[in-house]
Amino acid sequence: MTPSEITVTADALALSWPDGLVTLPAALLRHACRCADCRAQALRGTPATLPATIRLQGAEPIGHYALQLHFDDGHERGIYPWGYLRGLGWGVAEP
């Protein structure tokens, strides 16, 4: 499922799904990054230390299945598939 509308602000990513609007805060998205580095740190029990006010700087589509998010701490390696973002919004995705 693909959202019908995507809005990126410094504070959040808003996604319009057929069954409702979900707004995901930038801090949640950065914490939920699934890139290899972030996952390895989490598995070692040393998740990344994030600034108190992490901000989104942009998003790029990856094919028809995901977004790559850019954060103001320089992190931009995570790919967020639509299903993963949808799950984060409804509280059912695993980080």
Side-chain angles (χ1 to χ4, degrees):
M1 181 180 303
T2 303
S4 59
E5 188 175 337
I6 302 162
T7 304
V8 180
T9 67
D11 296 322
L13 175 69
L15 303 165
S16 295
W17 301 100
D19 53 353
L21 174 69
V22 171
T23 301
L24 301 167
L28 170 71
L29 292 165
R30 179 63 178 85
H31 177 73
C33 180
R34 302 184 325 160
C35 78
D37 289 339
C38 290
R39 294 201 61 156
Q41 287 178 330
L43 289 171
R44 285 193 304 267
T46 57
T49 303
L50 304 177
T53 56
I54 193 81
R55 312 218 2 124
L56 279 166
Q57 291 186 318
E60 293 179 47
I62 303 294
H64 295 288
Y65 74 95
L67 284 179
Q68 182 177 21
L69 301 177
H70 303 272
F71 297 91
D72 69 349
D73 68 346
H75 193 75
E76 55 186 30
R77 292 182 301 274
I79 294 175
Y80 296 75
W82 298 129
Y84 184 64
L85 289 168
R86 184 170 165 75
L88 282 174
W90 300 115
V92 295
E94 295 179 16

